[in-house]
Amino acid sequence: MAMNYNAKDEVDGGPPCAPGGTAKTRRPDNTAFKQQRLPAWQPILTAGTVLPIFFIIGLIFIPIGIGIFVTSNNIREIEGNVFMYYGLSNFYQNHRRYVKSRDDSQLNGDSSALLNPSKECEPYRRNEDKPIAPCGAIANSMFNDTLELFLIGNDSYPVPIALKKKGIAWWTDKNVKFRNPPGGDNLEERFKGTTKPVNWLKPVYMLDSDPDNNGFINEDFIVWMRTAALPTFRKLYRLIERKSDLHPTLPAGRYSLNITYNYPVHYFDGRKRMILSTISWMGGKNPFLGIAYIAVGSISFLLGVVLLVINHKYRNSSNTADITI
Protein backbone atom coordinates (compact mmCIF):
# COMPACT_ATOMS: atom_id res chain seq x y z
CA MET A 1 0.00 0.00 0.00
CA ALA A 2 1.47 3.35 -1.04
CA MET A 3 1.69 6.23 1.53
CA ASN A 4 1.44 9.88 0.54
CA TYR A 5 2.51 12.95 2.58
CA ASN A 6 2.42 16.66 1.99
CA ALA A 7 4.55 19.71 2.86
CA LYS A 8 2.84 20.12 6.23
CA ASP A 9 4.02 16.64 7.21
CA GLU A 10 7.58 17.65 6.28
CA VAL A 11 7.44 20.76 8.47
CA ASP A 12 5.93 18.84 11.38
CA GLY A 13 8.65 16.23 11.17
CA GLY A 14 7.60 13.94 8.30
CA PRO A 15 4.71 11.55 7.69
CA PRO A 16 3.35 9.41 10.46
CA CYS A 17 5.34 6.29 11.11
CA ALA A 18 4.10 2.82 10.46
CA PRO A 19 1.83 1.25 13.06
CA GLY A 20 3.81 0.39 16.14
CA GLY A 21 6.50 3.05 15.40
CA THR A 22 7.21 6.29 17.25
CA ALA A 23 5.96 9.53 15.72
CA LYS A 24 8.71 12.09 15.01
CA THR A 25 8.18 15.79 15.48
CA ARG A 26 10.28 18.95 15.36
CA ARG A 27 8.00 20.82 17.71
CA PRO A 28 9.95 22.27 20.74
CA ASP A 29 9.28 20.82 24.16
CA ASN A 30 6.51 22.40 26.17
CA THR A 31 8.78 24.17 28.64
CA ALA A 32 8.89 27.79 29.74
CA PHE A 33 12.35 28.28 28.20
CA LYS A 34 11.70 26.72 24.79
CA GLN A 35 8.21 28.19 24.52
CA GLN A 36 9.52 31.65 25.52
CA ARG A 37 7.29 32.02 28.57
CA LEU A 38 10.06 33.10 30.96
CA PRO A 39 9.35 36.23 33.01
CA ALA A 40 10.97 39.37 31.58
CA TRP A 41 11.90 42.76 33.02
CA GLN A 42 12.27 45.97 31.08
CA PRO A 43 13.53 49.13 32.80
CA ILE A 44 11.44 52.25 32.37
CA LEU A 45 13.79 55.22 32.01
CA THR A 46 12.51 58.35 33.67
CA ALA A 47 14.09 61.61 34.76
CA GLY A 48 14.09 60.39 38.33
CA THR A 49 16.24 57.35 37.47
CA VAL A 50 18.51 58.70 34.70
CA LEU A 51 19.54 62.11 36.06
CA PRO A 52 21.02 60.80 39.35
CA ILE A 53 23.19 58.36 37.38
CA PHE A 54 24.75 61.19 35.33
CA PHE A 55 25.42 63.28 38.43
CA ILE A 56 26.87 60.34 40.38
CA ILE A 57 29.25 59.46 37.53
CA GLY A 58 30.37 63.08 37.30
CA LEU A 59 30.90 63.44 41.06
CA ILE A 60 32.94 60.21 41.20
CA PHE A 61 35.02 60.49 38.02
CA ILE A 62 36.07 64.17 38.32
CA PRO A 63 37.82 63.85 41.73
CA ILE A 64 39.47 60.57 40.68
CA GLY A 65 40.73 62.18 37.46
CA ILE A 66 42.10 65.20 39.32
CA GLY A 67 43.90 62.95 41.79
CA ILE A 68 45.47 60.82 39.04
CA PHE A 69 46.46 63.88 36.98
CA VAL A 70 48.11 65.64 39.94
CA THR A 71 49.94 62.45 40.95
CA SER A 72 51.24 61.98 37.41
CA ASN A 73 52.48 65.56 37.20
CA ASN A 74 54.28 65.27 40.54
CA ILE A 75 56.56 62.53 39.18
CA ARG A 76 60.11 63.87 38.90
CA GLU A 77 63.31 62.57 37.41
CA ILE A 78 65.54 63.00 40.48
CA GLU A 79 63.54 61.37 43.30
CA GLY A 80 63.73 57.68 44.20
CA ASN A 81 64.84 55.06 41.68
CA VAL A 82 64.96 56.31 38.11
CA PHE A 83 63.76 54.14 35.24
CA MET A 84 65.28 54.44 31.79
CA TYR A 85 62.97 53.63 28.87
CA TYR A 86 63.46 53.44 25.14
CA GLY A 87 60.57 54.56 22.98
CA LEU A 88 59.51 53.82 19.41
CA SER A 89 56.88 55.50 17.28
CA ASN A 90 55.01 54.27 14.20
CA PHE A 91 55.85 50.65 15.09
CA TYR A 92 52.70 48.51 15.04
CA GLN A 93 53.38 45.67 17.45
CA ASN A 94 49.60 45.15 17.66
CA HIS A 95 49.28 43.84 14.08
CA ARG A 96 47.45 40.49 14.14
CA ARG A 97 50.03 38.51 12.18
CA TYR A 98 52.90 40.07 14.12
CA VAL A 99 51.34 39.23 17.50
CA LYS A 100 50.81 35.58 16.48
CA SER A 101 54.34 35.19 15.07
CA ARG A 102 55.91 33.38 18.06
CA ASP A 103 56.10 29.93 19.62
CA ASP A 104 55.33 30.02 23.34
CA SER A 105 56.27 26.35 23.74
CA GLN A 106 59.72 27.06 22.34
CA LEU A 107 60.11 30.09 24.62
CA ASN A 108 59.13 27.90 27.59
CA GLY A 109 62.07 25.59 26.90
CA ASP A 110 60.27 22.72 25.17
CA SER A 111 62.94 20.65 23.41
CA SER A 112 60.71 19.43 20.58
CA ALA A 113 59.48 22.97 19.82
CA LEU A 114 63.07 24.21 19.87
CA LEU A 115 63.97 22.09 16.83
CA ASN A 116 60.51 22.14 15.25
CA PRO A 117 59.01 25.61 15.79
CA SER A 118 55.37 26.44 15.19
CA LYS A 119 54.24 27.33 11.67
CA GLU A 120 52.92 30.61 13.11
CA CYS A 121 56.56 31.78 13.03
CA GLU A 122 56.71 31.81 9.22
CA PRO A 123 58.61 33.30 7.43
CA TYR A 124 61.00 33.46 10.42
CA ARG A 125 60.73 29.77 11.27
CA ARG A 126 63.85 28.36 9.60
CA ASN A 127 66.99 29.82 8.07
CA GLU A 128 69.81 28.02 6.31
CA ASP A 129 67.87 24.78 6.82
CA LYS A 130 68.04 25.21 10.61
CA PRO A 131 65.26 26.12 13.06
CA ILE A 132 65.44 29.68 14.33
CA ALA A 133 65.62 30.18 18.09
CA PRO A 134 63.74 32.24 19.05
CA CYS A 135 61.47 32.08 16.01
CA GLY A 136 58.90 34.58 14.76
CA ALA A 137 58.62 38.20 13.68
CA ILE A 138 58.47 39.59 17.25
CA ALA A 139 61.83 38.12 18.22
CA ASN A 140 63.38 38.94 14.85
CA SER A 141 62.59 42.66 15.28
CA MET A 142 63.99 42.96 18.84
CA PHE A 143 65.33 46.39 19.78
CA ASN A 144 69.12 46.16 20.06
CA ASP A 145 70.50 49.69 20.46
CA THR A 146 72.88 50.15 23.40
CA LEU A 147 72.36 53.18 25.66
CA GLU A 148 74.99 54.50 28.08
CA LEU A 149 74.54 57.50 30.38
CA PHE A 150 77.42 59.65 31.70
CA LEU A 151 77.59 62.53 34.18
CA ILE A 152 79.97 65.26 33.01
CA GLY A 153 82.01 66.37 36.03
CA ASN A 154 83.65 69.71 36.70
CA ASP A 155 86.81 68.52 35.01
CA SER A 156 84.76 67.56 31.94
CA TYR A 157 85.57 63.91 32.59
CA PRO A 158 82.50 61.70 31.96
CA VAL A 159 81.51 59.52 34.90
CA PRO A 160 79.39 56.48 33.86
CA ILE A 161 75.99 56.04 35.54
CA ALA A 162 75.38 52.49 36.78
CA LEU A 163 72.51 51.01 34.78
CA LYS A 164 70.97 47.84 36.22
CA LYS A 165 69.75 45.43 33.55
CA LYS A 166 68.06 42.89 35.82
CA GLY A 167 64.71 43.40 37.49
CA ILE A 168 63.10 45.11 34.48
CA ALA A 169 60.86 42.19 33.41
CA TRP A 170 57.66 40.89 35.01
CA TRP A 171 58.28 38.17 37.59
CA THR A 172 55.79 35.80 35.94
CA ASP A 173 57.50 36.23 32.56
CA LYS A 174 60.99 35.69 33.96
CA ASN A 175 60.16 32.66 36.12
CA VAL A 176 57.16 31.02 34.44
CA LYS A 177 56.66 31.87 30.76
CA PHE A 178 60.29 32.00 29.59
CA ARG A 179 62.77 29.19 30.23
CA ASN A 180 65.90 27.90 28.57
CA PRO A 181 65.97 24.37 27.13
CA PRO A 182 66.97 21.67 29.63
CA GLY A 183 70.53 20.42 29.68
CA GLY A 184 73.93 21.00 31.20
CA ASP A 185 75.73 24.18 32.18
CA ASN A 186 76.81 24.94 28.61
CA LEU A 187 73.98 27.07 27.19
CA GLU A 188 75.41 26.97 23.68
CA GLU A 189 75.17 23.17 23.72
CA ARG A 190 71.50 23.36 24.74
CA PHE A 191 70.75 25.46 21.65
CA LYS A 192 72.74 23.14 19.36
CA GLY A 193 71.14 22.62 15.96
CA THR A 194 69.46 26.05 15.89
CA THR A 195 70.40 29.35 14.31
CA LYS A 196 69.93 32.99 15.31
CA PRO A 197 67.09 35.20 14.01
CA VAL A 198 67.83 36.82 10.66
CA ASN A 199 68.20 40.38 11.97
CA TRP A 200 70.15 39.52 15.14
CA LEU A 201 73.86 40.25 15.43
CA LYS A 202 74.53 37.27 17.73
CA PRO A 203 72.75 34.07 18.80
CA VAL A 204 70.40 33.93 21.76
CA TYR A 205 72.90 32.15 24.01
CA MET A 206 75.29 35.13 23.72
CA LEU A 207 72.92 37.92 24.81
CA ASP A 208 74.64 38.31 28.19
CA SER A 209 77.64 36.96 30.07
CA ASP A 210 75.48 36.48 33.18
CA PRO A 211 73.99 32.94 33.04
CA ASP A 212 70.91 34.15 34.94
CA ASN A 213 70.24 36.74 32.21
CA ASN A 214 71.09 34.81 29.08
CA GLY A 215 69.16 32.89 26.45
CA PHE A 216 65.37 32.95 26.59
CA ILE A 217 65.48 34.39 30.13
CA ASN A 218 67.34 37.53 29.04
CA GLU A 219 65.25 40.38 30.45
CA ASP A 220 65.75 42.73 27.48
CA PHE A 221 64.36 39.97 25.28
CA ILE A 222 61.47 39.25 27.66
CA VAL A 223 60.48 42.93 27.82
CA TRP A 224 60.46 43.17 24.02
CA MET A 225 58.32 40.05 23.64
CA ARG A 226 55.49 41.66 25.65
CA THR A 227 53.91 43.46 22.68
CA ALA A 228 52.53 47.00 22.92
CA ALA A 229 48.91 47.90 22.18
CA LEU A 230 49.62 51.21 20.40
CA PRO A 231 52.07 52.20 17.63
CA THR A 232 53.81 54.72 19.91
CA PHE A 233 55.14 53.01 23.02
CA ARG A 234 57.96 52.83 25.54
CA LYS A 235 59.64 49.80 27.08
CA LEU A 236 61.75 49.60 30.22
CA TYR A 237 65.45 49.43 29.38
CA ARG A 238 67.44 49.95 32.58
CA LEU A 239 67.05 50.80 36.27
CA ILE A 240 69.10 53.50 38.02
CA GLU A 241 69.00 52.70 41.73
CA ARG A 242 69.18 55.33 44.44
CA LYS A 243 72.24 54.68 46.59
CA SER A 244 71.65 57.18 49.40
CA ASP A 245 68.67 59.00 50.88
CA LEU A 246 70.87 62.08 51.30
CA HIS A 247 71.65 62.43 47.61
CA PRO A 248 69.40 62.40 44.54
CA THR A 249 69.63 59.51 42.14
CA LEU A 250 70.58 61.84 39.29
CA PRO A 251 72.14 65.03 40.68
CA ALA A 252 71.81 68.29 38.82
CA GLY A 253 74.45 68.72 36.14
CA ARG A 254 75.36 67.97 32.56
CA TYR A 255 74.84 64.48 31.18
CA SER A 256 75.92 62.70 28.04
CA LEU A 257 74.02 59.87 26.36
CA ASN A 258 76.04 57.47 24.23
CA ILE A 259 73.98 55.44 21.74
CA THR A 260 75.31 52.47 19.80
CA TYR A 261 73.05 52.62 16.78
CA ASN A 262 71.99 49.15 15.65
CA TYR A 263 68.23 49.51 15.20
CA PRO A 264 67.14 51.31 12.00
CA VAL A 265 63.76 53.05 12.05
CA HIS A 266 63.69 54.80 8.67
CA TYR A 267 62.25 51.67 7.03
CA PHE A 268 58.91 52.23 8.80
CA ASP A 269 59.23 56.04 9.10
CA GLY A 270 59.59 55.79 12.86
CA ARG A 271 61.42 57.66 15.60
CA LYS A 272 63.42 56.59 18.65
CA ARG A 273 63.67 58.30 22.01
CA MET A 274 65.01 57.79 25.52
CA ILE A 275 62.97 58.61 28.63
CA LEU A 276 64.06 58.98 32.25
CA SER A 277 61.29 58.82 34.82
CA THR A 278 60.38 57.78 38.33
CA ILE A 279 57.17 55.94 39.19
CA SER A 280 54.34 56.43 41.66
CA TRP A 281 51.53 54.22 42.96
CA MET A 282 49.94 54.49 39.49
CA GLY A 283 53.12 53.71 37.54
CA GLY A 284 55.13 56.04 35.32
CA LYS A 285 54.24 59.54 34.20
CA ASN A 286 51.10 59.29 32.09
CA PRO A 287 48.57 62.16 32.27
CA PHE A 288 46.17 60.55 29.77
CA LEU A 289 44.30 58.46 32.35
CA GLY A 290 43.62 61.45 34.58
CA ILE A 291 42.49 63.58 31.64
CA ALA A 292 40.17 60.79 30.47
CA TYR A 293 38.51 60.53 33.90
CA ILE A 294 38.05 64.31 34.10
CA ALA A 295 36.61 64.47 30.56
CA VAL A 296 34.14 61.62 31.11
CA GLY A 297 33.05 63.01 34.48
CA SER A 298 32.62 66.55 33.13
CA ILE A 299 30.61 65.39 30.11
CA SER A 300 28.40 63.23 32.31
CA PHE A 301 27.78 66.06 34.78
CA LEU A 302 27.05 68.52 31.95
CA LEU A 303 24.58 66.12 30.33
CA GLY A 304 22.87 65.75 33.69
CA VAL A 305 22.44 69.52 33.99
CA VAL A 306 21.13 69.85 30.41
CA LEU A 307 18.63 67.01 30.86
CA LEU A 308 17.53 68.46 34.19
CA VAL A 309 16.77 71.84 32.57
CA ILE A 310 14.92 70.18 29.68
CA ASN A 311 12.89 68.01 32.03
CA HIS A 312 12.01 71.00 34.24
CA LYS A 313 10.96 73.09 31.23
CA TYR A 314 8.75 70.51 29.55
CA ARG A 315 7.28 69.27 32.81
CA ASN A 316 6.07 72.81 33.60
CA SER A 317 4.68 73.15 30.08
CA SER A 318 2.75 69.90 30.48
CA ASN A 319 1.31 70.98 33.80
CA THR A 320 0.17 74.35 32.34
CA ALA A 321 -1.54 72.57 29.44
CA ASP A 322 -3.38 70.29 31.85
CA ILE A 323 -4.67 73.26 33.85
CA THR A 324 -5.83 75.06 30.68
CA ILE A 325 -7.80 72.10 29.53
Side-chain angles (χ1 to χ4, degrees), residues 41-318:
W41 176 80
Q42 181 178 359
I44 299 176
L45 302 179
T46 64
T49 58
V50 174
L51 292 179
I53 295 176
F54 280 105
F55 287 120
I56 291 173
I57 293 176
L59 293 175
I60 293 177
F61 274 50
I62 292 176
I64 293 177
I66 293 175
I68 295 176
F69 185 77
V70 171
T71 302
S72 177
N73 284 343
N74 285 337
I75 295 176
R76 296 292 182 265
E77 285 75 18
I78 59 173
E79 300 168 357
N81 292 337
V82 176
F83 296 84
M84 176 185 282
Y85 299 84
Y86 62 86
L88 291 176
S89 61
N90 205 37
F91 192 106
Y92 289 83
Q93 273 199 318
N94 57 354
H95 192 281
R96 182 180 63 85
R97 289 191 62 187
Y98 183 89
V99 172
K100 293 175 61 179
S101 187
R102 60 188 295 165
D103 189 341
D104 288 321
S105 296
Q106 186 192 59
L107 298 176
N108 195 242
D110 185 272
S111 300
S112 60
L114 180 69
L115 300 177
N116 186 26
S118 169
K119 293 183 179 179
E120 297 285 359
C121 290
E122 295 288 359
Y124 303 104
R125 182 171 176 256
R126 303 183 70 87
N127 186 34
E128 298 176 352
D129 202 31
K130 290 184 178 180
I132 296 176
C135 71
I138 306 177
N140 186 67
S141 60
M142 177 182 168
F143 184 84
N144 60 349
D145 279 3
T146 302
L147 307 179
E148 297 174 296
L149 188 64
F150 298 90
L151 173 63
I152 308 300
N154 296 329
D155 55 357
S156 298
Y157 184 78
V159 178
I161 303 297
L163 303 178
K164 185 180 178 182
K165 55 188 174 182
K166 295 179 66 176
I168 60 175
W170 288 23
W171 186 92
T172 51
D173 288 349
K174 175 79 173 181
N175 297 279
V176 179
K177 294 181 63 176
F178 290 80
R179 294 180 181 177
N180 284 322
D185 295 334
N186 190 339
L187 190 61
E188 180 179 357
E189 188 66 24
R190 291 192 243 173
F191 282 95
K192 185 178 181 180
T194 66
T195 186
K196 68 178 182 64
V198 177
N199 289 343
W200 283 27
L201 301 177
K202 50 189 175 183
V204 67
Y205 51 81
M206 295 180 61
L207 292 179
D208 200 312
S209 57
D210 184 353
D212 292 330
N213 193 43
N214 200 10
F216 288 159
I217 59 173
N218 176 265
E219 297 201 23
D220 286 328
F221 171 67
I222 294 173
V223 169
W224 177 259
M225 294 299 292
R226 183 170 284 276
T227 54
L230 300 175
T232 298
F233 58 86
R234 64 171 67 175
K235 290 181 181 288
L236 187 56
Y237 180 71
R238 293 292 182 265
L239 173 64
I240 306 174
E241 292 185 315
R242 187 174 186 178
K243 298 180 179 179
S244 172
D245 294 336
L246 301 178
H247 302 282
T249 308
L250 293 178
R254 294 190 302 126
Y255 289 86
S256 173
L257 178 66
N258 183 33
I259 303 175
T260 304
Y261 192 98
N262 297 317
Y263 198 82
V265 295
H266 60 276
Y267 293 112
F268 53 90
D269 196 24
R271 296 184 64 184
K272 293 187 286 188
R273 65 191 187 281
M274 187 275 287
I275 306 102
L276 294 175
S277 176
T278 57
I279 62 172
S280 67
W281 58 268
M282 56 165 288
K285 188 169 185 177
N286 182 15
F288 172 77
L289 186 59
I291 295 173
Y293 267 93
I294 294 173
V296 172
S298 300
I299 293 173
S300 179
F301 194 86
L302 180 61
L303 285 175
V305 172
V306 171
L307 293 176
L308 180 63
V309 172
I310 294 174
N311 174 68
H312 182 72
K313 177 181 178 181
Y314 281 95
R315 185 176 61 183
N316 290 342
S317 300
S318 177

